[in-house]
Amino acid sequence: LLEIEENSANIYYELGHLYLKKNDVINSVNAFKLALDKDTENPFYHNALAYALVKAEQYEDACEHYKFAIDKNPDPEWTAIVCQALASLYHNVFDDIDTAVDLLKTAIILDENNDEIFVELGDIYLQTDDIDSAIKAYCEAIKLNPKNAVSYNKCAMALWKKDYLEEAIIAYHKAIAIAPDYYSAYNNLGVIYLDGIRNLREAKKLFETAISIKNDYVMAYFNLGRVLQEQGKSIEAAKSYQK
């Protein structure tokens, strides 16, 4: 196609995505740059190049292209997702929590119905021990999408940190009801039964269920070892720790 129409920005744009699917990051970056050479103001091309640059660990350059795409704002819902991507970069790469939060709040203004943005905002609040704000963000996510097990699981973690044991247990059960194979929810619920309620029998069943779903789940084996140790089953506990 390029031999026929060598100045087509869209062909380079599509080519860049194909290189990404092949995990050929360098060629994808070059293709998106060539697309931008042909159409310098296109926000979609800037966003695609930013994504490829993140893959190439060229984070500073990626930020500039994400910002350009956001400034152009061709569609609020699309721009909200770009804000979310840039927020993740500031959070996970630059450890700039304030900027990440501001970007996520901007994303919410652009698209107040995107539950994943509220979940990511809750994650940041949870990491920085602003537990009340985390719970509020996760609850907003649940209101928007009550079928998302992840939101219930993370909300339960925040509730557990605030010592709201009953509410946390309900939230974990909600997560499991939505996603019966959600192994981390079984493990996390087991921790509450072990460390919060001191119901060793129920905790043991939950850790064993998590392991039956994911047989290489390290934390579940560790927690099962703790239960067995509490029950005085030292040999079984040692085997679980070794596992």
Side-chain angles (χ1 to χ4, degrees):
L1 284 171
L2 286 171
E3 289 178 3
I4 299 169
E5 194 176 352
E6 64 180 358
N7 291 318
S8 172
N10 190 58
I11 294 173
Y12 283 109
Y13 177 64
E14 297 294 342
L15 188 60
H17 285 295
L18 289 172
Y19 279 126
L20 279 177
K21 287 181 179 291
K22 288 167 60 70
N23 292 317
D24 187 344
V25 176
I26 299 302
N27 276 321
S28 71
V29 168
N30 290 336
F32 291 135
K33 284 182 176 179
L34 286 166
L36 276 174
D37 286 343
K38 314 298 181 186
D39 186 356
T40 57
E41 298 293 307
N42 191 308
F44 302 103
Y45 297 174
H46 280 277
N47 176 62
L49 177 55
Y51 180 79
L53 287 168
V54 169
K55 293 284 189 182
E57 299 184 0
Q58 297 179 30
Y59 302 119
E60 296 284 355
D61 290 341
C63 283
E64 296 307 312
H65 288 285
Y66 275 137
K67 288 175 184 176
F68 186 97
I70 291 167
D71 288 341
K72 286 294 180 182
N73 186 18
D75 173 77
E77 291 184 12
W78 180 85
T79 306
I81 295 171
V82 181
C83 286
Q84 190 179 357
L86 184 56
S88 180
L89 203 55
Y90 274 106
H91 177 203
N92 297 310
V93 176
F94 301 118
D95 198 27
D96 186 342
I97 301 299
D98 292 337
T99 301
V101 168
D102 287 343
L103 281 162
L104 290 173
K105 288 180 177 178
T106 300
I108 290 168
I109 293 170
L110 291 165
D111 183 8
E112 61 184 10
N113 295 315
N114 188 328
D115 63 299
E116 292 184 0
I117 297 172
F118 283 101
V119 170
E120 189 162 348
L121 184 60
D123 290 347
I124 292 177
Y125 285 135
L126 188 62
Q127 179 187 327
T128 55
D129 288 326
D130 186 352
I131 309 302
D132 290 329
S133 295
I135 293 171
K136 183 179 178 181
Y138 292 137
C139 286
E140 287 296 328
I142 289 167
K143 287 179 188 177
L144 290 170
N145 184 4
K147 297 297 184 182
N148 188 344
V150 172
S151 299
Y152 282 106
N153 183 53
K154 292 189 172 187
C155 188
M157 291 172 65
L159 291 165
W160 163 238
K161 278 180 170 279
K162 286 287 287 187
D163 290 328
Y164 298 151
L165 299 189
E166 291 184 11
E167 292 85 349
I169 289 170
I170 291 169
Y172 278 130
H173 278 296
K174 280 278 192 181
I176 291 167
I178 294 167
D181 290 340
Y182 200 168
Y183 53 85
S184 64
Y186 288 103
N187 177 73
N188 295 342
L189 181 55
V191 170
I192 291 182
Y193 277 103
L194 173 58
D195 296 327
I197 299 176
R198 303 299 297 166
N199 185 334
L200 301 184
R201 179 182 296 179
E202 187 63 26
K204 182 173 180 287
K205 284 165 50 179
L206 287 161
F207 297 138
E208 287 173 340
T209 301
I211 290 167
S212 71
I213 297 168
K214 183 176 171 58
N215 62 14
D216 62 347
Y217 191 7
V218 174
M219 284 307 302
Y221 280 109
F222 173 75
N223 287 323
L224 179 59
R226 291 203 296 137
V227 171
L228 294 167
Q229 191 171 356
E230 290 271 358
Q231 291 178 329
K233 301 175 181 178
S234 301
I235 294 174
E236 291 180 50
K239 288 179 179 178
S240 191
Y241 287 137
Q242 287 173 336
K243 184 72 174 180

